[in-house]
Amino acid sequence: MRTFILIYTLLSSLLIIPFGHAKDFTLNGFTETVFIVSDIEKTSQFYQQYAGWEVRSTEEVAPELKQLWQLPERASLKQVLLANKGEQRGYVRLIQINNVQQEMIRANTQSWDVGGIFDVNVRVADMQKKRQQLQDAGWRGTSDPVSFTFEPYEVTEWITTGFDGISFAMIERIKPTLKGWPNVKQMSRVFNSTQVVSDIDTSLAFYRDVLGFQLYLEHKGASKEAGPNVLGLPYNLTTKIPRSVYILHPQKLNEGSVELLQFHGAMGKNVSTKAAPPNLGIVTLRFPVDNLPALKAHLIQKKVQIVSQATLNLPPYGLVDMLAIRTPDQTWIEFYQTH
């Protein structure tokens, strides 16, 4: 009997080893995106006016962020945390960094250029009005707003770029009536974010197999008809350039989700080496986790390099432990655990 128990215990322990780390932590969708900006006052005022967002915090930046972002001691930072009114997620954190050399991550890029975070997604209440406002303010899009249907939804989408090369994918639901978003007055909270990648299979494997994200949406193929498209492809090439799209989230939701996009047959430049602090643009997504040490051990086991880590005060969460990594396409992403 004792021998049987020993064998059973040994076999059981062997069976759970490959899955041990995955059960030790729970990731959630990102709660915020971080924009490094050149003029924090101008940018904050603009988003308050045109997005309808409100300031949640102007607290001083914790000095430990320099350690996390590997910044020189001479760097000085300030921040503004913005939120859609009535929301407790989908924040945008603006950070201005002085006394360091900076480049724009996605300067003068096309949709198919690889590297960094391509855009953040928000819902809008009135696309026509918002487009006119932003165009009057100097923003430009990859195309005019495009209406399309994917059953059972009819939507209009516009990708537009403003300060510091930061792009927004704005989506207005036409049919059926949007429910569950009572706070969409101008722009909603940020709920999704796209990365244009060089190898969709490698990036998919990273988020799905390493981080344990689940597939929310998959689309492969070219357009059925030539013509307008939100990504700015020449009209005559939309049927000839297939795209692969995956939306992933730890709990299979379109809320704090990551969208991976690859163009097959359209080749541009690669700006991935610039996709890190202190450079200007959408620099990172921040994902909460309930057991950061277990996540770290899991990442090391999967041979993912930990770029840096620190403990710092991060409003509105309070004291957090945080670590940063880079994805296969060198996008900088961060994970945090509250104390």
Side-chain angles (χ1 to χ4, degrees):
M1 184 65 179
R2 177 183 294 179
T3 303
F4 171 81
I5 293 173
L6 289 172
I7 293 173
Y8 176 83
T9 303
L10 178 61
L11 288 173
S12 298
S13 65
L14 290 172
L15 285 171
I16 65 172
I17 284 174
F19 308 102
H21 287 304
K23 292 183 178 180
D24 291 341
F25 64 87
T26 300
L27 276 170
N28 287 286
F30 68 81
T31 56
E32 66 176 60
T33 57
V34 180
F35 299 175
I36 297 181
V37 299
S38 54
D39 187 331
I40 198 167
E41 283 80 15
K42 179 186 76 172
T43 306
S44 174
Q45 287 296 327
F46 186 90
Y47 290 146
Q48 289 176 64
Q49 179 179 350
Y50 289 91
W53 296 342
E54 65 182 4
V55 174
R56 291 286 175 86
S57 175
T58 56
E59 192 170 333
E60 289 187 6
V61 177
E64 292 82 6
L65 186 64
K66 292 183 187 179
Q67 174 189 335
L68 185 76
W69 282 4
Q70 302 174 333
L71 300 176
E73 192 57 39
R74 67 177 181 276
S76 64
L77 296 82
K78 51 184 174 181
Q79 68 180 347
V80 174
L81 183 70
L82 297 170
N84 192 37
K85 295 177 181 178
E87 300 287 0
Q88 303 299 324
R89 54 184 170 177
Y91 303 127
V92 167
R93 188 180 303 271
L94 308 178
I95 294 187
Q96 181 176 326
I97 307 175
N98 297 322
N99 304 324
V100 295
Q101 187 174 354
Q102 295 171 292
E103 294 183 79
M104 196 179 295
I105 297 170
R106 291 191 63 89
N108 309 310
T109 53
Q110 305 290 340
S111 298
W112 48 87
D113 291 332
V114 170
I117 296 174
F118 172 61
D119 67 21
V120 291
N121 293 186
V122 295
R123 299 189 184 277
V124 295
D126 186 332
M127 180 70 77
Q128 184 176 357
K129 181 179 180 180
K130 190 55 58 185
R131 175 208 185 190
Q132 190 62 55
Q133 288 177 343
L134 292 176
Q135 285 191 159
D136 290 346
W139 287 38
R140 290 294 179 264
T142 54
S143 69
D144 292 324
V146 176
S147 297
F148 54 93
T149 300
F150 60 105
E151 294 298 335
Y153 306 110
E154 181 181 342
V155 302
T156 299
E157 183 172 352
W158 185 45
I159 299 176
T160 181
T161 303
F163 309 130
D164 303 307
I166 293 170
S167 295
F168 287 75
M170 300 184 179
I171 301 167
E172 180 183 9
R173 171 77 66 81
I174 308 301
K175 296 179 182 177
T177 302
L178 182 65
K179 297 180 180 179
W181 290 73
N183 300 310
V184 182
K185 308 303 181 186
Q186 294 193 59
M187 293 185 198
S188 74
R189 64 181 182 267
V190 173
F191 68 92
N192 185 61
S193 177
T194 306
Q195 298 166 35
V196 181
V197 300
S198 58
D199 186 327
I200 197 78
D201 293 331
T202 299
S203 295
L204 175 63
F206 173 75
Y207 278 100
R208 183 190 59 196
D209 303 334
V210 175
L211 295 182
F213 283 31
Q214 299 182 62
L215 188 61
Y216 173 82
L217 179 146
E218 175 184 357
H219 173 77
K220 293 183 178 181
S223 302
K224 294 180 181 179
E225 297 179 358
N229 60 98
V230 295
L231 295 166
L233 288 169
Y235 288 10
N236 64 314
L237 297 181
T238 58
T239 61
K240 300 176 182 179
I241 298 178
R243 283 86 71 191
S244 295
V245 180
Y246 293 97
I247 297 179
L248 301 114
H249 182 279
Q251 286 77 43
K252 201 176 179 179
L253 303 172
N254 194 198
E255 184 64 65
S257 49
V258 168
E259 183 170 341
L260 305 175
L261 168 62
Q262 182 179 0
F263 293 81
H264 304 282
M267 183 175 293
K269 61 183 177 180
N270 189 321
V271 298
S272 59
T273 57
K274 299 179 181 180
N279 288 333
L280 301 168
I282 309 173
V283 74
T284 192
L285 309 173
R286 285 178 168 164
F287 299 88
V289 62
D290 66 346
N291 190 338
L292 193 68
L295 172 62
K296 180 181 178 180
H298 173 73
L299 291 171
I300 292 172
Q301 183 192 47
K302 295 293 184 180
K303 296 182 170 45
V304 176
Q305 182 181 0
I306 309 300
V307 177
S308 59
Q309 59 187 104
T311 298
L312 65 150
N313 182 52
L314 187 67
Y317 320 111
L319 196 64
V320 302
D321 295 322
M322 184 175 287
L323 65 81
I325 64 170
R326 300 191 80 160
T327 71
D329 271 287
Q330 299 303 298
T331 301
W332 183 290
I333 60 174
E334 297 172 354
F335 307 95
Y336 69 91
Q337 180 179 4
T338 58
H339 279 218

